[in-house]
Amino acid sequence: MSDEARPHDWPHHVLELRIHGIKNTPPTEMLGREQSELRQTQGDENGGFWWAPKQDEPDRDPDDAPGTIDPAVPPDGVRTEAYSWGRLARYGAGPFLFIGQLFVQLAWLLLAPFGLANAAYWTRRIPTQRPGGEWDAGVGGASLRIFALGLTLLYVCALGSVSLDLGVQCVTGTACTALPEAVTGFFANAPLSWRGPQLSLLSLVPIAGVLLLFLVSRRARARYEAAIFDAADRMGGRGVRRSGRLRPLASEGFWRTARVGSPTERLHLAAAFLLVALLLAWDRMFAGAAACVKLQTFVSGECLGAAFGSRDLLALSGGLIAALGLIIVIVLVGVFAETTSTGDAGDTSVDEFLRDRLRTTGTVTAWVLVVSVLVYLYVGASLWFGGEYAAPPSGAFLGLATAPSIILGVLLAICVSALGWRRGVPHWLSIALMTGAGLTFLAGVAQNPPTQNAAPGPLRLPLFAIAAVLTLAQLILVWRWPYFPSGRRAGPPERFRAEGWAGMGPGVVMLWSLGAAMILSTLLVLGVQGWLVSGSPPCGCATPPHAVLRPPIVYHNFGDVLPFIAIALALVGIGVAAAVLRWVPLLTTPRTRDGRRPLLEQVDAYRDGRIAASTTADRLALKILRARRLAALVHRGEPILGILAALLAVGFVVALAVSYSVVFRWIDALVGPALAVIAAAILAVVVENALTAKERPISIMWDLMCFLPRAGHPFGPPCYAERVVPELRDRVADWLTHDLEPPEGLTLAERLRWRDEQEEAALGEKRPFSVVLSAHSLGAVLAVSTLFTLRPDDADRLRNVALLTYGSQLRVYFGRFFPELFGPDALGTLGSRRPLLGKADPWFTQVERDQDGDPVVVGASGASDPSLVQLLTQEDGSVAWINLWRRTDYLGFPVNSYRLEDRRPDDIDRGADEFGPPRYLVKVATHPDYQSAPQYRVALLDLIARLDTPAPPSPPPPPGNPSRSS
């Protein structure tokens, strides 16, 4: 901490450190001050710490009623600072650089499926970790990495469909009326007039697209991630020896060591080169066989005979090498995701062993990438110099007739398998069932009619039935396995009621990821197709004079299904809204302290299992009741998102199973406009965000995807918490020890060791200074993550740090979706059931259980280190944690219980007033404005009293004497 930032006069013995949430509240609003009154003490233009050097009481608003709480006026002896982190998760250059900003926002949009894949990694069952910095990935880690690789290959297929398929159709005779004549003329000149050179040149498009995504992701990581290495090292407990099993958030290197880094990046790039090489060789090997154009006839004898009868040994050998290389890459991706065991290190330290392992994997993957590039160049050269070859009758690119469908099918099978990862279904059994289902399903697709009037094969329905039975068996196992004796050994089945989607979170989030990738790919392919044929035909006739431009069947089918998915989801939302909004219910509310309640009707509990309707005529009371109802409607996000995942899965199956020419031909006229509306809506959001430098690229989902470290897809968005958590930890430790000076004559290494010892002592022993982390919304998650890094060496409690949260989603969202990180066992709080769709109060069941004192069963992790509540428990048994919430908050919940009189130690959950500061026009308080509520000041003072901080020390010597620097 700099000398300028250190309070030399020490008038404050408590640091109130405010952390904003998902709204990215600016420091001026957090501190209630003008920008000219604030000073940034640490940080840069993207984030840092702010405070008002003059903390005397500012001029009051004349409209404020007497007794109004002003967040700009801290209590006596308290220094209030604001920590701003929101720009770390954004990329903004303002409206003057709109064009460049727009392209960056589009690139971020394409990275969204990768971010969801990273989130899916942390929804798995994450084991407790051994001390020393190793990482145990747990069940499903390798499969999820392979799933992430499949997302990259799916993008390769989409970009290849635009260039290799639609592009080669346009330059070989199909009427692409919007394509400039300069482009067609360029490809009409030798040697590009041949199919081989055309494909070799157009193959650069998917390669360039993947490289662009890689560069955008890499640039963002270089800008945002892990900027404070010394603080990150200390978070791991430098020089501190820990024993037992550690919770993931308390393990060394959680915010420092990348779970997926440069070696995996190289494997993804290598897979892109190899897949393009395989597709190029595929087209040449199967050229001239009409049966190879359609997915339904690809496995026919005619098509396979064309490949084995090919005399082009260069393309054949290149294709075989590319296929073998692609298999090797997939295996390496899975192998590198496995657990690193301390037993492998021998006599070498774990850190040194991990560095050696990283160097080894880096060398191997670098050579794999080099070989992949050489294979791609070899195949491209074979097409360029191999002479002309016969194109299929339609001119379509043969490799993409089947590749996207196969990749989509494999990824869907992994998603269905992932539904059982948390619920204990043996991994090998899920793989066996889904492999059998996938193979029989593919064989059934081959039985589809290849033309409009042709009859399907006789085995189509039996094969589809077998695939359905195997898939149904997997789903039954997922649901029933916890009730089998082998499943009960891990705990009672009721424990999954406290987990998102009943423990099926990994599969659900992966279905979102796959859905996002397919939606973006489909809009890209069909959008380019629509643009290419949007011009006026050269003959002036109503229809193009040449063949119809056809994309790969899977994109066309999914494009036809997509509007029906949107309609079905909209109908569910409309139905739920209609059922909820038709009356004004009386919902239970928490008790408030030193606040005013304008409601005439107070509900302490639901009587006889019924939610009564309001009969009040008071306008303010009715306004607040309606705000509660609207907030309760928004709280139903979890089941709605589960329905979305199920709809996407059905849509994938339909897109793979149905023959376009038979089923979907009658809705093509409706699908085009519907897809145009969807694409326009997405583009409008991107343009709006590009015009606003402070906005998130993909709204709230962006902050949620960027919170946890990248661990699934290497091209995922940057993790802003890798900088936020070290900065917060460093500020807390520095405040607790800023009055200490190291002895004279110490070397640099000795000074660092002395500082670490003092920080550990300051965390576990009473000190003259203390910190209250005041965190709103997502900031509460950042604060909790910071507290787990502050644990002193093998101690079970923090002495000088308290936590004040408000508008928090710790219990119902983060605790349910990421149980090992923020669940009941990690926090030491009560679990929560899922929200209900049909009740006026979506938390009706949980409210009644909390009122009855009947907690939800949660699984014990087996960690030997303390939970968050244990860390914050003081010597007198009080818990230095208070959470404020209100029923009108659409994103705020209790962290422990809906009980009005909480029987847990010192009443963690409290209510906050549901109306804003009493001015000329009173407004309903929702997610923001907690710091203006009177309960905030009361909670802050209660936490300071629980810490029982001694009086501050005497002021330091006058300037001129040596002062400690850090």
Side-chain angles (χ1 to χ4, degrees):
M1 183 176 183
S2 65
D3 288 341
E4 180 183 3
R6 186 179 298 109
H8 287 296
D9 53 354
W10 291 338
H12 314 114
H13 62 281
V14 176
L15 173 63
E16 177 198 1
L17 186 53
R18 297 178 179 178
I19 309 167
H20 68 76
I22 217 165
K23 184 186 173 183
N24 190 24
T25 306
T28 53
E29 188 174 338
M30 281 193 284
L31 297 177
R33 298 286 187 135
E34 298 294 333
Q35 185 65 43
S36 59
E37 300 179 84
L38 300 183
R39 179 188 302 171
Q40 186 176 23
T41 59
Q42 295 180 22
D44 54 25
E45 70 277 5
N46 295 318
F49 298 87
W50 297 77
W51 80 300
K54 297 181 179 180
Q55 288 197 317
D56 53 334
E57 185 170 341
D59 295 335
R60 285 191 171 276
D61 190 326
D63 292 331
D64 285 346
T68 299
I69 299 299
D70 191 338
V73 183
D76 294 337
V78 176
R79 170 181 168 125
T80 300
E81 294 184 2
Y83 179 70
S84 177
W85 55 267
R87 289 185 63 85
L88 297 175
R90 294 153 174 81
Y91 183 93
F96 296 104
L97 299 177
F98 169 69
I99 300 300
Q101 177 76 349
L102 177 61
F103 280 104
V104 170
Q105 294 280 351
L106 288 172
W108 287 132
L109 182 64
L110 293 175
L111 293 180
F114 304 159
L116 289 171
N118 286 328
Y121 180 94
W122 299 106
T123 61
R124 300 176 306 109
R125 190 172 298 281
I126 308 297
T128 55
Q129 305 297 318
R130 300 183 183 91
E134 62 169 341
W135 181 253
D136 187 350
V139 174
S143 296
L144 189 137
R145 295 280 180 86
I146 294 173
F147 172 84
L149 178 63
L151 294 178
T152 301
L153 299 182
L154 198 61
Y155 270 170
V156 172
C157 289
L159 294 169
S161 299
V162 169
S163 61
L164 296 173
D165 195 2
L166 299 180
V168 78
Q169 291 182 56
C170 286
V171 300
T172 56
T174 300
C176 299
T177 52
L179 197 66
E181 293 184 3
V183 177
T184 56
F186 174 76
F187 283 97
N189 298 321
L192 294 178
S193 57
W194 299 349
R195 184 177 178 86
Q198 290 172 355
L199 292 176
S200 297
L201 185 61
L202 291 172
S203 69
L204 294 174
V205 174
I207 296 296
V210 173
L211 288 175
L212 178 62
L213 295 178
F214 163 70
L215 292 176
V216 169
S217 176
R218 171 58 70 94
R219 180 177 181 271
R221 293 199 303 275
R223 180 177 180 179
Y224 293 133
E225 287 186 359
I228 306 178
F229 300 106
D230 184 58
D233 287 339
R234 291 201 306 277
M235 283 197 313
R238 186 174 56 194
V240 177
R241 304 300 300 176
R242 295 183 178 177
S243 59
R245 303 289 300 190
L246 306 178
R247 302 181 190 279
L249 284 178
S251 61
E252 295 95 327
F254 184 88
W255 300 107
R256 178 188 59 184
T257 305
R259 308 286 175 258
V260 54
S262 298
T264 312
E265 287 177 340
R266 299 188 194 103
L267 291 178
H268 279 243
L269 294 175
F273 279 103
L274 291 171
L275 179 59
V276 173
L278 176 60
L279 295 178
L280 292 175
W282 192 324
D283 183 80
R284 189 172 181 92
M285 287 188 298
F286 292 97
C292 298
V293 177
K294 294 182 177 294
L295 176 63
Q296 296 91 328
T297 58
F298 181 78
V299 295
S300 64
E302 177 187 355
C303 183
L304 297 177
F308 290 111
S310 174
R311 297 181 179 180
D312 193 334
L313 296 181
L314 292 179
L316 181 60
S317 60
L320 293 176
I321 295 173
L324 179 61
L326 198 56
I327 295 173
I328 293 175
V329 168
I330 293 173
V331 172
L332 289 177
V333 167
V335 169
F336 290 161
E338 291 301 314
T339 301
T340 300
S341 172
T342 52
D344 298 333
D347 296 331
T348 309
S349 68
V350 174
D351 285 342
E352 183 179 350
F353 171 74
L354 294 177
R355 286 194 296 269
D356 292 341
R357 186 174 186 266
L358 182 61
R359 283 194 294 266
T360 302
T361 56
T363 302
V364 171
T365 54
W367 278 109
V368 170
L369 178 58
V370 170
V371 172
S372 301
V373 174
L374 294 177
V375 171
Y376 164 72
L377 295 175
Y378 172 78
V379 174
S382 70
L383 266 67
W384 191 284
F385 301 106
E388 183 61 277
Y389 61 94
S394 66
F397 184 72
L398 297 183
L400 290 169
T402 57
S405 299
I406 293 174
I407 293 174
L408 176 61
V410 171
L411 296 183
L412 177 60
I414 296 177
C415 291
V416 177
S417 173
L419 295 174
W421 289 351
R422 291 194 63 87
R423 293 179 66 87
V425 179
H427 202 39
W428 65 268
L429 183 56
S430 294
I431 293 175
L433 287 173
M434 297 316 301
T435 300
L439 292 176
T440 53
F441 182 80
L442 179 62
V445 171
Q447 296 284 308
N448 277 340
T451 59
Q452 179 174 341
N453 299 319
L459 298 179
R460 183 181 64 162
L461 293 181
L463 289 171
F464 281 162
I466 295 174
V469 168
L470 292 175
T471 304
L472 182 61
Q474 165 67 13
L475 296 177
I476 292 175
L477 279 178
V478 168
W479 188 252
R480 295 300 303 173
W481 189 268
Y483 298 92
F484 295 160
S486 55
R488 283 184 174 275
R489 284 196 291 268
E494 291 76 15
R495 68 189 186 276
F496 295 109
R497 294 177 179 173
E499 299 181 4
W501 301 284
M504 293 181 280
V508 171
V509 180
M510 289 166 67
L511 283 170
W512 300 345
S513 175
L514 181 56
M518 274 301 297
I519 289 172
L520 295 172
S521 299
T522 299
L523 293 177
L524 173 66
V525 174
L526 298 187
V528 172
Q529 178 208 17
W531 169 75
L532 288 173
V533 298
S534 62
S536 300
C539 63
C541 50
T543 58
H546 301 297
V548 178
L549 189 64
R550 292 291 187 189
I553 187 174
V554 68
Y555 298 116
H556 200 294
N557 283 0
F558 190 71
D560 286 341
V561 171
L562 191 56
F564 292 96
I565 295 176
I567 292 172
L569 191 65
L571 290 176
V572 172
I574 293 172
V576 172
V580 171
L581 300 179
R582 61 186 174 85
W583 59 297
V584 181
L586 291 175
L587 306 179
T588 60
T589 52
R591 295 288 185 187
T592 59
R593 298 191 182 183
D594 295 338
R596 288 165 291 180
R597 306 188 58 84
L599 294 182
L600 302 179
E601 298 170 281
Q602 173 69 37
V603 179
D604 294 337
Y606 297 128
R607 306 300 179 188
D608 302 323
R610 298 179 59 189
I611 301 176
S614 171
T615 58
T616 183
D618 183 270
R619 287 190 175 184
L620 180 57
L622 189 59
K623 189 175 183 179
I624 293 179
L625 288 174
R626 287 173 176 168
R628 291 182 183 178
R629 181 183 61 180
L630 182 60
L633 179 63
V634 178
H635 290 176
R636 292 164 168 81
E638 181 182 334
I640 295 294
L641 291 175
I643 293 173
L644 172 61
L647 291 174
L648 287 172
V650 174
F652 297 147
V653 173
V654 173
L656 292 170
V658 174
S659 171
Y660 153 75
S661 60
V662 174
V663 175
F664 284 155
R665 64 181 183 271
W666 57 274
I667 60 174
D668 283 344
L670 302 176
V671 167
L675 290 180
V677 171
I678 296 174
I682 295 176
L683 187 60
V685 173
V686 172
V687 171
E688 180 186 4
N689 289 331
L691 287 170
T692 310
K694 296 182 179 180
E695 277 301 316
R696 296 170 290 271
I698 318 175
S699 192
I700 291 176
M701 286 300 297
W702 188 255
D703 283 346
L704 298 179
M705 290 189 304
C706 297
F707 165 66
L708 289 166
R710 290 178 303 109
H713 200 294
F715 300 166
C719 171
Y720 58 83
E722 290 185 2
R723 170 175 165 176
V724 170
V725 174
E727 283 188 336
L728 288 173
R729 186 211 187 271
D730 201 41
R731 183 70 187 100
V732 171
D734 189 76
W735 174 265
L736 295 179
T737 59
H738 70 265
D739 62 320
L740 302 177
E741 297 290 342
E744 298 291 338
L746 297 181
T747 64
L748 178 59
E750 290 172 339
R751 287 171 65 91
L752 290 175
R753 189 179 308 109
W754 179 88
R755 176 177 177 174
D756 294 336
E757 293 172 354
Q758 296 304 314
E759 288 183 359
E760 291 295 328
L763 295 173
E765 301 174 1
K766 282 294 183 182
R767 291 282 299 139
F769 301 98
S770 58
V771 178
V772 178
L773 293 178
S774 169
H776 177 234
S777 189
L778 185 61
V781 184
L782 296 170
V784 168
S785 302
T786 302
L787 289 174
F788 274 113
T789 69
L790 288 169
R791 183 172 72 86
D793 184 15
D794 283 337
D796 60 354
R797 65 187 66 182
L798 294 169
R799 299 294 189 217
N800 306 297
V801 184
L803 178 62
L804 174 56
T805 57
Y806 37 98
S808 169
Q809 308 91 34
L810 280 168
R811 186 191 194 196
V812 300
Y813 289 157
F814 287 91
R816 286 179 56 80
F817 301 162
F818 311 105
E820 284 71 38
L821 304 183
F822 305 101
D825 184 69
L827 299 187
T829 55
L830 300 176
S832 175
R833 286 179 172 237
R834 65 177 177 85
L836 306 173
L837 279 179
K839 286 283 187 179
D841 182 2
W843 309 105
F844 177 83
T845 304
Q846 188 59 50
V847 169
E848 290 203 317
R849 291 180 71 97
D850 286 347
Q851 293 287 349
D852 296 337
D854 185 14
V856 179
V857 177
V858 297
S861 64
S864 56
D865 56 338
S867 66
L868 182 65
V869 167
Q870 291 171 333
L871 275 176
L872 296 175
T873 300
Q874 304 304 299
E875 292 181 348
D876 60 355
S878 64
V879 178
W881 181 10
I882 294 176
N883 177 72
L884 301 177
W885 69 286
R886 50 170 73 107
R887 272 287 188 171
T888 53
D889 189 344
Y890 47 85
L891 281 177
F893 307 87
V895 298
N896 184 61
S897 175
Y898 282 92
R899 279 198 298 259
L900 301 181
E901 297 295 339
D902 193 355
R903 299 187 184 93
R904 292 187 64 82
D906 288 287
D907 191 13
I908 295 178
D909 289 304
R910 298 183 184 179
D913 281 349
E914 297 177 305
F915 57 96
R919 296 193 173 110
Y920 176 68
L921 293 176
V922 178
K923 65 176 182 178
V924 176
T926 56
H927 192 51
D929 297 329
Y930 275 91
Q931 292 161 355
S932 299
Q935 294 80 22
Y936 179 88
R937 177 67 61 88
V938 173
L940 178 62
L941 295 176
D942 283 354
L943 288 174
I944 295 174
R946 291 180 188 182
L947 292 178
D948 191 24
T949 304
S954 301
N961 291 351
S963 62
R964 171 181 174 263
S965 61
S966 57

